[in-house]
Amino acid sequence: MESESESGAAADTPPLETLSFHGDEEIIEVVELDPGPPDPDDLAQEMEDVDFEEEEEEEEGNEEGWVLEPQEGVVGSMEGPDDSEVTFALHSASVFCVSLDPKTNTLAVTGGEDDKAFVWRLSDGELLFECAGHKDSVTCAGFSHDSTLVATGDMSGLLKVWQVDTKEEVWSFEAGDLEWMEWHPRAPVLLAGTADGNTWMWKVPNGDCKTFQGPNCPATCGRVLPDGKRAVVGYEDGTVRIWDLKQGGPIHVLKGTEGHQGPLTCVATNQDGSLILTGSVDCQAKLVSAATGKVVGVFRPETVASQPNVGEGEESESNSVESLGFCSVMPLAAVGYLDGTLAIYDLSTQTLRHQCQHQSGIVQLLWEAGTAVVYTCSLDGIVRLWDARTGRLLTDYRGHTAEILDFALSKDASLVVTTSGDHKAKVFCVQRPDR
């Protein structure tokens, strides 16, 4: 597949690890860094109140590989084409969230409007166990870094954690109304943001707890930075805070013109955590230096570039940033909008490179690791793969009869797992076209 000349042999070059910024000037240079992951023992010593020490992991290879044959009795054909290999049909209402176990990518956890969460096997859709006890819609679910624990959270703020191998509940906590939840990238530590503005952090299963008090409004989105020592949290009032997880205080606060003019919807970081992207209902995506807390770029799609900034007005409700992320092999960022626009921005020039239009709103996007391919899922129930170098649609996958609400991508980009308003979760075997 042809690509633009500036991409060159992008796949053969090492990832661009960080971008150097100087004040409000444009990018001056691209610097290669290889900081390497922080040592888990050092990380544990630095965290005083919460022990972040990473437990030693036993080597567990996946000897069997993928066997993508639908389980007998699992729902098969539906109206229209169905490109999926497996359909998981135990939910009785919209399925809001999905996550894959990071160690083997053989298990999924899904949560839905039916107040239920299930852990099931990707290869055949077989149920392993139900994460029982929720009494409100399960909107957050995920596996710990080593796949030994799975956490589920519902809208009312009830969080539960299960031991995967024993299928037993090992921890629970009732916080405020839940906005987001995420595991620490290298330790059995769970973070969550709630409607009262707090960000919570627990050591699981012993329950050691810290709270990071934000403004008196919901903490709408959050992400732990790759160093495991900081977290970025966005709020309904448009502010952004970068928190020190050890000290418990904010390192940087973006507000006013530096922040957003509407509630935050999503945040993302690049591979080494030097850059942060924030998205909002104000239709802006802001590029922030994690080191200085300064905004170093603001992105808007051309289709709305002439519109004035708005807060809670009509225009802010008609379009918003729904998802965003960084490419790992090129200085590119992708931003997905509610109006169906996928915008690919060139970070080195801070310019719009491509606009890829969907027929309906984008719900989420993910970059394929090690390539310049972006996956999107949208309200039309279709998963699409885009070449960010050319802006061309590579392929799409269909099978849902309602909007896709969440999706996950396996590490080797062989599988996409989707959840939908049609009460189903589906596993797609992703064909890898010559690109």
Side-chain angles (χ1 to χ4, degrees):
M1 183 167 291
E2 58 183 344
S3 61
E4 296 182 356
S5 58
E6 63 264 34
S7 67
D12 297 326
T13 59
L16 298 174
E17 294 296 332
T18 188
L19 302 174
S20 299
F21 297 92
H22 301 273
D24 295 328
E25 300 175 5
E26 291 191 350
I27 298 172
I28 304 301
E29 60 180 348
V30 178
V31 180
E32 292 189 20
L33 293 177
D34 186 14
D39 183 84
D41 292 331
D42 294 342
L43 189 60
Q45 293 175 0
E46 292 176 358
M47 301 300 177
E48 295 173 345
D49 296 340
V50 178
D51 180 11
F52 285 97
E53 184 175 1
E54 180 182 7
E55 299 175 2
E56 293 185 3
E57 298 179 359
E58 296 180 2
E59 293 297 326
E60 292 184 85
N62 179 22
E63 302 294 340
E64 297 181 0
W66 295 109
V67 181
L68 293 175
E69 297 179 358
Q71 179 188 13
E72 184 177 354
V74 174
V75 175
S77 61
M78 297 165 57
E79 295 180 10
D82 187 356
D83 302 320
S84 67
E85 301 292 330
V86 173
T87 297
F88 181 78
L90 287 185
H91 286 281
S92 59
S94 295
V95 191
F96 289 137
C97 56
V98 61
S99 179
L100 306 187
D101 83 280
K103 192 165 186 180
T104 68
N105 276 197
T106 60
L107 303 178
V109 57
T110 51
E113 192 179 12
D114 54 5
D115 307 348
K116 294 183 181 299
F118 300 105
V119 176
W120 50 280
R121 196 163 59 199
L122 295 179
S123 61
D124 55 12
E126 180 181 343
L127 175 68
L128 268 65
F129 62 95
E130 177 181 347
C131 304
H134 288 286
K135 298 187 183 339
D136 205 340
S137 298
V138 178
T139 54
C140 300
F143 291 89
S144 61
H145 71 289
D146 58 3
S147 299
T148 62
L149 302 171
V150 64
T152 54
D154 66 34
M155 289 182 66
S156 72
L158 176 60
L159 296 102
K160 289 176 171 288
V161 174
W162 280 261
Q163 189 84 29
V164 174
D165 57 357
T166 65
K167 307 176 184 178
E168 294 180 351
E169 182 180 325
V170 295
W171 179 84
S172 66
F173 189 89
E174 291 192 44
D177 292 352
L178 187 64
E179 296 284 336
W180 60 272
M181 181 190 78
E182 185 182 57
W183 283 99
H184 189 277
R186 284 181 303 282
V189 170
L190 189 66
L191 289 91
T194 51
D196 58 9
N198 284 331
T199 297
W200 300 75
M201 183 172 68
W202 302 275
K203 175 74 179 294
V204 178
N206 67 23
D208 290 348
C209 179
K210 272 188 177 182
T211 56
F212 307 88
Q213 188 171 1
N216 190 26
C217 66
T220 53
C221 54
R223 180 65 56 88
V224 181
L225 269 61
D227 63 8
K229 302 174 183 179
R230 297 169 293 168
V232 55
V233 180
Y235 298 87
E236 190 178 67
D237 65 357
T239 61
V240 179
R241 284 167 171 77
I242 301 175
W243 292 95
D244 185 321
L245 297 181
K246 173 188 175 184
Q247 301 296 337
I251 305 171
H252 303 293
V253 179
L254 286 74
K255 58 184 178 180
T257 57
E258 286 284 285
H260 285 274
Q261 304 308 303
L264 271 287
T265 55
C266 48
V267 293
T269 70
N270 66 341
Q271 213 169 20
D272 70 353
S274 61
L275 294 174
I276 296 168
L277 267 175
T278 62
S280 167
V281 300
D282 67 8
C283 208
Q284 293 188 354
K286 296 199 173 189
L287 188 65
V288 180
S289 166
T292 66
K294 300 296 183 183
V295 175
V296 292
V298 179
F299 302 122
R300 291 172 62 86
E302 287 185 349
T303 54
V304 296
S306 60
Q307 296 175 359
N309 290 344
V310 291
E312 300 299 324
E314 178 181 350
E315 197 59 57
S316 69
E317 297 175 357
S318 68
N319 196 19
S320 65
V321 176
E322 295 296 309
S323 187
L324 35 70
F326 292 90
C327 178
S328 64
V329 295
M330 297 179 67
L332 302 175
V335 181
Y337 297 87
L338 186 59
D339 70 353
T341 302
L342 170 67
I344 307 296
Y345 295 102
D346 190 322
L347 298 179
S348 58
T349 60
Q350 297 196 20
T351 58
L352 179 67
R353 182 161 175 163
H354 300 293
Q355 272 194 174
C356 311
Q357 203 62 40
H358 297 63
Q359 293 182 348
S360 59
I362 295 172
V363 176
Q364 190 182 350
L365 66 84
L366 293 171
W367 285 92
E368 180 177 307
T371 75
V373 175
V374 183
Y375 294 62
T376 59
C377 67
S378 57
L379 295 174
D380 59 10
I382 301 173
V383 175
R384 294 176 174 87
L385 279 65
W386 304 88
D387 186 337
R389 299 167 299 178
T390 64
R392 294 172 57 183
L393 177 66
L394 295 175
T395 186
D396 60 38
Y397 296 90
R398 302 163 186 255
H400 285 291
T401 58
E403 68 277 8
I404 296 177
L405 300 175
D406 194 14
F407 80 126
L409 177 64
S410 63
K411 288 184 293 187
D412 63 358
S414 65
L415 298 176
V416 171
V417 186
T418 56
T419 63
S420 170
D422 63 11
H423 309 180
K424 308 291 192 299
K426 286 181 173 288
V427 181
F428 296 88
C429 181
V430 181
Q431 303 299 318
R432 297 177 61 86
D434 183 16
R435 46 182 188 258

